[in-house]
């Protein structure tokens, strides 16, 4: 049975009342960037005798759109190729713990970027314990992600001296499935680069 409470409350399994579940999720978008936090937990140690399987998935999603980016240049300039530098990190340690190797605890993250409503790049990263769903190599922009990484988006072409829109999004889940105490926790933050230029532009 899956629970999607997303309010920090605890609820008991109506079939197997000795199994309790807990989750909490937070999402924030502001001048300091995007932040998502997810936590899922099941507790089978509240009396024993539990012979069923319970599961829970908690998610958090944050996005931001800017519609006033402008690259300045001489009047009549041709469209220009550019890319963004961003930073993705985990303020709190990633955690996925499942004592039974045949069951599951996992955390997942997805980042994405769009310019003028056209997606230019995305990335996915998953960390899991247990034999059912092993850790998944990160494809796309998150290839090689180590929990604290600088990223560069794919290039895009935009006009000079004309406002264009940019959208970033950040999505995370924490999932647990089992018949004993298990938890998964993930915290991620996505910001523009702070130690290098935000936009990569041609030298000319």
């Amino acid at each position: 049975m899956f629970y999607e409470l997303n309010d920090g409350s605890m609820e008991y399994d109506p079939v197997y009342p000795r199994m309790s579940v807990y989750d909490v999720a937070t999402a924030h978008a502001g001048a300091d960037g995007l932040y998502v936090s997810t936590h899922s937990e099941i507790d089978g140690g509240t009396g024993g005798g539990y012979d069923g399987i319970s599961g829970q998935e908690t998610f958090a999603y944050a996005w931001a759109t800017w519609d006033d980016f402008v690259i300045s240049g001489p009047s009549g300039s041709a469209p220009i190729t550019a890319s963004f530098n961003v930073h993705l990190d985990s303020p709190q340690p990633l955690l996925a713990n499942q004592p039974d190797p045949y069951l599951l605890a996992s955390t997942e993250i997805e980042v994405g970027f769009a310019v003028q409503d056209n997606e230019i790049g995305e990335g996915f990263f998953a960390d899991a314990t247990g034999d059912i769903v092993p850790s998944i190599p990160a494809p796309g922009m998150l290839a090689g992600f180590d929990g604290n990484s600088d990223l560069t988006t794919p290039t895009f072409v935009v006009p000079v001296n004309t406002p264009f829109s940019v959208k970033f999004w950040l999505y995370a889940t924490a999932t647990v499935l089992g018949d004993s105490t298990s938890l998964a926790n993930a915290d991620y933050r996505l910001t523009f680069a702070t130690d290098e230029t935000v936009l990569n532009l041609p030298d000319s």
Side-chain angles (χ1 to χ4, degrees):
M1 179 173 293
F2 282 81
Y3 295 80
E4 295 185 0
L5 308 179
N6 289 307
D7 60 0
S9 63
M10 180 172 285
E11 184 172 307
Y12 286 91
D13 189 309
V15 179
Y16 300 99
R18 292 186 179 90
M19 175 67 79
S20 61
V21 298
Y22 174 82
D23 72 356
V24 63
T26 301
H28 167 79
D32 55 343
L34 306 180
Y35 173 74
V36 293
S37 175
T38 61
H39 178 91
S40 289
E41 184 173 350
I42 55 177
D43 183 1
T46 57
Y50 181 79
D51 58 357
I53 292 178
S54 184
Q56 179 176 313
E57 180 179 68
T58 311
F59 63 90
Y61 177 51
W63 73 95
T65 300
W66 297 266
D67 57 9
D68 55 357
F69 268 95
V70 176
I71 297 176
S72 299
S75 178
S77 295
I80 197 168
T81 300
S83 62
F84 283 105
N85 292 319
V86 298
H87 185 81
L88 179 67
D89 68 353
S90 178
Q92 300 293 327
L94 303 181
L95 177 61
N97 177 44
Q98 169 53 271
D100 187 334
Y102 296 101
L103 300 175
L104 170 69
S106 69
T107 59
E108 301 176 0
I109 181 176
E110 178 185 332
V111 298
F113 307 88
V115 174
Q116 295 291 70
D117 296 325
N118 295 312
E119 183 178 309
I120 60 169
E122 63 178 354
F124 175 82
F125 175 79
D127 182 30
T129 63
D131 293 341
I132 293 179
V133 182
S135 294
I136 302 172
M141 289 185 59
L142 296 187
F145 178 63
D146 61 3
N148 186 2
S149 299
D150 294 320
L151 307 172
T152 299
T153 70
T155 58
F156 52 90
V157 177
V158 289
V160 177
N161 299 320
T162 302
F164 61 93
S165 64
V166 175
K167 180 179 180 179
F168 291 1
W169 62 90
L170 182 60
Y171 178 82
T173 64
T175 304
V176 287
L177 177 67
D179 59 0
S180 59
T181 301
S182 179
L183 62 89
N185 187 82
D187 296 85
Y188 294 98
R189 177 174 54 200
L190 178 66
T191 66
F192 286 110
T194 58
D195 57 356
E196 58 183 330
T197 59
V198 170
L199 267 173
N200 298 307
L201 301 172
D203 292 339
S204 58

mmCIF file of all heavy atoms in Angstrom, residues 166-182:
data_model
loop_
_atom_site.group_PDB
_atom_site.id
_atom_site.type_symbol
_atom_site.label_atom_id
_atom_site.label_comp_id
_atom_site.label_asym_id
_atom_site.label_seq_id
_atom_site.Cartn_x
_atom_site.Cartn_y
_atom_site.Cartn_z
ATOM 1 N N VAL A 166 13.729 31.619 -19.932
ATOM 2 C CA VAL A 166 14.522 30.479 -19.466
ATOM 3 C C VAL A 166 13.757 29.799 -18.334
ATOM 4 O O VAL A 166 13.195 30.478 -17.465
ATOM 5 C CB VAL A 166 15.903 30.938 -18.954
ATOM 6 C CG1 VAL A 166 16.674 29.764 -18.361
ATOM 7 C CG2 VAL A 166 16.701 31.587 -20.075
ATOM 8 N N LYS A 167 13.714 28.483 -18.351
ATOM 9 C CA LYS A 167 13.060 27.723 -17.281
ATOM 10 C C LYS A 167 13.999 26.636 -16.777
ATOM 11 O O LYS A 167 14.608 25.921 -17.580
ATOM 12 C CB LYS A 167 11.754 27.092 -17.773
ATOM 13 C CG LYS A 167 11.025 26.295 -16.696
ATOM 14 C CD LYS A 167 9.724 25.696 -17.215
ATOM 15 C CE LYS A 167 9.008 24.899 -16.132
ATOM 16 N NZ LYS A 167 7.725 24.314 -16.616
ATOM 17 N N PHE A 168 14.133 26.542 -15.439
ATOM 18 C CA PHE A 168 14.858 25.453 -14.787
ATOM 19 C C PHE A 168 13.857 24.675 -13.946
ATOM 20 O O PHE A 168 12.927 25.253 -13.383
ATOM 21 C CB PHE A 168 15.949 25.991 -13.845
ATOM 22 C CG PHE A 168 17.112 26.656 -14.512
ATOM 23 C CD1 PHE A 168 17.193 26.794 -15.883
ATOM 24 C CD2 PHE A 168 18.144 27.161 -13.739
ATOM 25 C CE1 PHE A 168 18.266 27.415 -16.494
ATOM 26 C CE2 PHE A 168 19.225 27.782 -14.324
ATOM 27 C CZ PHE A 168 19.295 27.915 -15.703
ATOM 28 N N TRP A 169 14.048 23.369 -13.821
ATOM 29 C CA TRP A 169 13.222 22.601 -12.887
ATOM 30 C C TRP A 169 14.050 21.520 -12.193
ATOM 31 O O TRP A 169 15.085 21.084 -12.686
ATOM 32 C CB TRP A 169 12.001 21.998 -13.578
ATOM 33 C CG TRP A 169 12.252 21.013 -14.679
ATOM 34 C CD1 TRP A 169 12.386 19.655 -14.583
ATOM 35 C CD2 TRP A 169 12.355 21.317 -16.075
ATOM 36 N NE1 TRP A 169 12.566 19.101 -15.812
ATOM 37 C CE2 TRP A 169 12.550 20.094 -16.747
ATOM 38 C CE3 TRP A 169 12.301 22.505 -16.821
ATOM 39 C CZ2 TRP A 169 12.689 20.016 -18.137
ATOM 40 C CZ3 TRP A 169 12.444 22.426 -18.196
ATOM 41 C CH2 TRP A 169 12.641 21.203 -18.835
ATOM 42 N N LEU A 170 13.544 21.129 -11.039
ATOM 43 C CA LEU A 170 14.236 20.187 -10.161
ATOM 44 C C LEU A 170 13.183 19.301 -9.503
ATOM 45 O O LEU A 170 12.232 19.806 -8.900
ATOM 46 C CB LEU A 170 15.032 20.965 -9.100
ATOM 47 C CG LEU A 170 15.884 20.201 -8.096
ATOM 48 C CD1 LEU A 170 16.958 19.375 -8.797
ATOM 49 C CD2 LEU A 170 16.531 21.194 -7.118
ATOM 50 N N TYR A 171 13.358 17.990 -9.638
ATOM 51 C CA TYR A 171 12.359 17.039 -9.145
ATOM 52 C C TYR A 171 13.071 15.918 -8.407
ATOM 53 O O TYR A 171 14.092 15.404 -8.877
ATOM 54 C CB TYR A 171 11.574 16.472 -10.330
ATOM 55 C CG TYR A 171 10.538 15.427 -9.991
ATOM 56 C CD1 TYR A 171 9.274 15.788 -9.546
ATOM 57 C CD2 TYR A 171 10.830 14.072 -10.124
ATOM 58 C CE1 TYR A 171 8.319 14.830 -9.237
ATOM 59 C CE2 TYR A 171 9.888 13.110 -9.817
ATOM 60 C CZ TYR A 171 8.634 13.482 -9.383
ATOM 61 O OH TYR A 171 7.694 12.532 -9.072
ATOM 62 N N ALA A 172 12.564 15.537 -7.241
ATOM 63 C CA ALA A 172 13.182 14.472 -6.458
ATOM 64 C C ALA A 172 12.124 13.580 -5.853
ATOM 65 O O ALA A 172 11.029 14.029 -5.520
ATOM 66 C CB ALA A 172 14.067 15.050 -5.359
ATOM 67 N N THR A 173 12.464 12.295 -5.701
ATOM 68 C CA THR A 173 11.586 11.345 -5.034
ATOM 69 C C THR A 173 12.389 10.515 -4.037
ATOM 70 O O THR A 173 13.596 10.310 -4.201
ATOM 71 C CB THR A 173 10.904 10.385 -6.033
ATOM 72 O OG1 THR A 173 11.919 9.587 -6.678
ATOM 73 C CG2 THR A 173 10.112 11.132 -7.061
ATOM 74 N N ALA A 174 11.693 10.050 -3.010
ATOM 75 C CA ALA A 174 12.255 9.102 -2.049
ATOM 76 C C ALA A 174 11.244 7.971 -1.903
ATOM 77 O O ALA A 174 10.074 8.220 -1.617
ATOM 78 C CB ALA A 174 12.509 9.772 -0.700
ATOM 79 N N THR A 175 11.690 6.743 -2.125
ATOM 80 C CA THR A 175 10.788 5.603 -2.156
ATOM 81 C C THR A 175 11.284 4.499 -1.232
ATOM 82 O O THR A 175 12.480 4.200 -1.201
ATOM 83 C CB THR A 175 10.682 5.039 -3.585
ATOM 84 O OG1 THR A 175 10.282 6.073 -4.478
ATOM 85 C CG2 THR A 175 9.683 3.896 -3.653
ATOM 86 N N VAL A 176 10.363 3.892 -0.497
ATOM 87 C CA VAL A 176 10.688 2.724 0.331
ATOM 88 C C VAL A 176 9.629 1.656 0.096
ATOM 89 O O VAL A 176 8.463 1.953 -0.147
ATOM 90 C CB VAL A 176 10.762 3.074 1.837
ATOM 91 C CG1 VAL A 176 12.010 3.871 2.140
ATOM 92 C CG2 VAL A 176 9.521 3.835 2.291
ATOM 93 N N LEU A 177 10.071 0.407 0.183
ATOM 94 C CA LEU A 177 9.181 -0.725 -0.002
ATOM 95 C C LEU A 177 9.713 -1.883 0.819
ATOM 96 O O LEU A 177 10.879 -2.257 0.665
ATOM 97 C CB LEU A 177 9.110 -1.125 -1.480
ATOM 98 C CG LEU A 177 8.260 -2.347 -1.833
ATOM 99 C CD1 LEU A 177 6.790 -2.055 -1.565
ATOM 100 C CD2 LEU A 177 8.481 -2.736 -3.296
ATOM 101 N N GLY A 178 8.912 -2.416 1.734
ATOM 102 C CA GLY A 178 9.412 -3.518 2.531
ATOM 103 C C GLY A 178 8.472 -3.934 3.638
ATOM 104 O O GLY A 178 7.335 -3.492 3.718
ATOM 105 N N ASP A 179 8.985 -4.821 4.501
ATOM 106 C CA ASP A 179 8.202 -5.313 5.623
ATOM 107 C C ASP A 179 8.924 -5.071 6.944
ATOM 108 O O ASP A 179 8.626 -5.713 7.955
ATOM 109 C CB ASP A 179 7.890 -6.798 5.461
ATOM 110 C CG ASP A 179 9.152 -7.654 5.368
ATOM 111 O OD1 ASP A 179 10.267 -7.080 5.423
ATOM 112 O OD2 ASP A 179 9.018 -8.877 5.252
ATOM 113 N N SER A 180 9.902 -4.153 6.922
ATOM 114 C CA SER A 180 10.633 -3.827 8.149
ATOM 115 C C SER A 180 10.994 -2.348 8.100
ATOM 116 O O SER A 180 10.652 -1.645 7.166
ATOM 117 C CB SER A 180 11.891 -4.690 8.269
ATOM 118 O OG SER A 180 12.741 -4.497 7.159
ATOM 119 N N THR A 181 11.688 -1.864 9.111
ATOM 120 C CA THR A 181 12.049 -0.455 9.163
ATOM 121 C C THR A 181 12.964 -0.091 8.000
ATOM 122 O O THR A 181 13.979 -0.745 7.760
ATOM 123 C CB THR A 181 12.740 -0.128 10.491
ATOM 124 O OG1 THR A 181 11.849 -0.441 11.559
ATOM 125 C CG2 THR A 181 13.117 1.343 10.555
ATOM 126 N N SER A 182 12.617 0.947 7.269
ATOM 127 C CA SER A 182 13.384 1.376 6.106
ATOM 128 C C SER A 182 13.126 2.848 5.861
ATOM 129 O O SER A 182 12.039 3.352 6.145
ATOM 130 C CB SER A 182 12.976 0.570 4.875
ATOM 131 O OG SER A 182 13.683 0.989 3.738
#
